[in-house]
Amino acid sequence: MARAPRLAAGRARALGAPTRGTTNPNRLRRVDRWLTGSPEVRTRLAAAPDPLVVDLGYGATPVTTVELAARLRAVQPGVRVLGLEIDPERVAAAAPAADPPRLDFRRGGFELAGARPVLLRAFNVLRQYTEAESTAAWDTMLARLAPGGLLVEGTCDEIGRRCCWVALTVDGPLTLTLSCLPSGIEKPSDLAERLPKALIHRNVPGERVHDLLAALDACWATAAAFAPFGPRARWVESARLLAAEGWPVLDDRRRWRLGEITLDWAAVAPAENGV
């Protein structure tokens, strides 16, 4: 039986365990670009009485939270960003970067320290958990969102060139996004190592995410004729071919040119339960 995520010690009873804390400037630029470019995200922020955004598990330095706040304010000036870390030393280290009420830092975990955000970014925080534990963490975080709130959970490499994330509401997962620097991959399935915890162990025959990556690799091979125009052009053509094959691709050429592709979650939902 899988153990439940443990509670960190302390009066706040923050739920979870500290991450390694690895972070770098611009590491999360790809997911931030998706957030600021998404009409759905912008609509949710604009409609919220209190457009609070929580960045969970920002790491040893607050740089990616500071970047998130600046990027979101460019499209929604009234947004407030709260960075949460379970390690009190990291919270103390972030204090000089705070600019309340627009940007603040607090100790907290999956319980979100009592906050009720309309948008929650949780990146690179679930890799150390089992699949069952990560599902429980999803449930805990979703239960604490404001009405109409959105959770964006995923992972990326140390410099942010390979990323994957899931967007969820209280009703469950909505989409999976794959994002990369096309010149930094040999084939799209190189992104498999950055799949969210809910999918990373599902990249085996018989699972939908395995079928997706195999299909995208095949499209990449077919698009080899576009290689002379650069890896970006080859990625765009691969995405077009994937959509033409009937995969539920939800974005368009404008997003593909950024090295992204977003699909309906049903296309990759784990086969045994389809959640």
Side-chain angles (χ1 to χ4, degrees):
M1 182 176 179
R3 62 179 178 84
R6 68 179 179 86
L7 289 169
R11 291 175 61 188
R13 301 297 287 172
L15 183 58
T19 64
R20 290 187 304 157
T22 306
T23 189
N24 286 296
N26 270 328
R27 186 183 186 189
L28 302 185
R29 64 193 179 279
R30 292 186 176 276
V31 65
D32 288 355
R33 185 167 58 192
W34 183 83
L35 291 171
T36 56
S38 166
E40 181 176 358
V41 171
R42 294 172 70 162
T43 297
R44 289 174 188 270
L45 289 173
D50 178 16
L52 173 64
V53 176
V54 166
D55 185 27
L56 180 63
Y58 53 80
T61 76
V63 60
T64 52
T65 306
V66 173
E67 291 170 346
L68 174 64
R71 290 162 180 161
L72 288 176
R73 278 200 297 270
V75 298
Q76 183 63 33
V79 74
R80 295 191 301 120
V81 176
L82 174 63
L84 294 181
E85 250 298 339
I86 206 164
D87 184 339
E89 293 185 359
R90 295 176 186 171
V91 178
D99 181 23
R102 299 192 307 169
L103 174 63
D104 210 350
F105 300 91
R106 192 185 308 167
R107 185 170 184 263
F110 298 135
E111 83 302 330
L112 307 187
R116 301 278 288 176
V118 69
L119 174 63
L120 169 60
R121 185 183 74 176
F123 243 70
N124 302 307
V125 298
L126 294 182
R127 290 181 68 84
Q128 61 189 322
Y129 297 98
T130 67
E131 184 178 334
E133 290 168 347
S134 70
T135 299
W138 273 4
D139 292 341
T140 299
M141 291 185 285
L142 289 169
R144 285 154 175 79
L145 292 178
L150 187 73
L151 164 62
V152 178
E153 186 272 313
T155 64
C156 66
D157 64 4
E158 286 72 12
I159 56 176
R161 291 187 175 182
R162 299 181 182 186
C163 313
C164 300
W165 58 84
V166 182
L168 311 92
T169 68
V170 292
D171 295 321
L174 300 176
T175 60
L176 171 72
T177 299
L178 309 178
S179 180
C180 68
L181 181 68
S183 62
I185 61 170
E186 292 186 7
K187 57 186 184 303
S189 61
D190 291 347
L191 289 167
E193 64 183 17
R194 297 299 165 181
L195 287 170
K197 177 61 72 170
L199 295 175
I200 194 167
H201 301 301
R202 303 294 184 139
N203 186 27
V204 294
E207 290 283 351
R208 297 183 184 103
V209 71
H210 181 272
D211 294 343
L212 168 65
L213 292 175
L216 193 51
D217 277 353
C219 292
W220 180 259
T222 301
F226 285 74
F229 303 103
R232 188 190 306 271
R234 187 176 181 182
W235 177 272
V236 169
E237 176 63 7
S238 299
R240 188 194 68 78
L241 290 169
L242 189 73
E245 289 181 2
W247 286 87
V249 176
L250 301 178
D251 48 11
D252 55 24
R253 183 177 296 269
R254 181 176 61 89
R255 303 306 301 183
W256 302 340
R257 283 187 54 79
L258 300 175
E260 290 177 13
I261 185 168
T262 296
L263 300 99
D264 190 292
W265 175 257
V268 295
E272 69 178 21
N273 52 32
V275 298

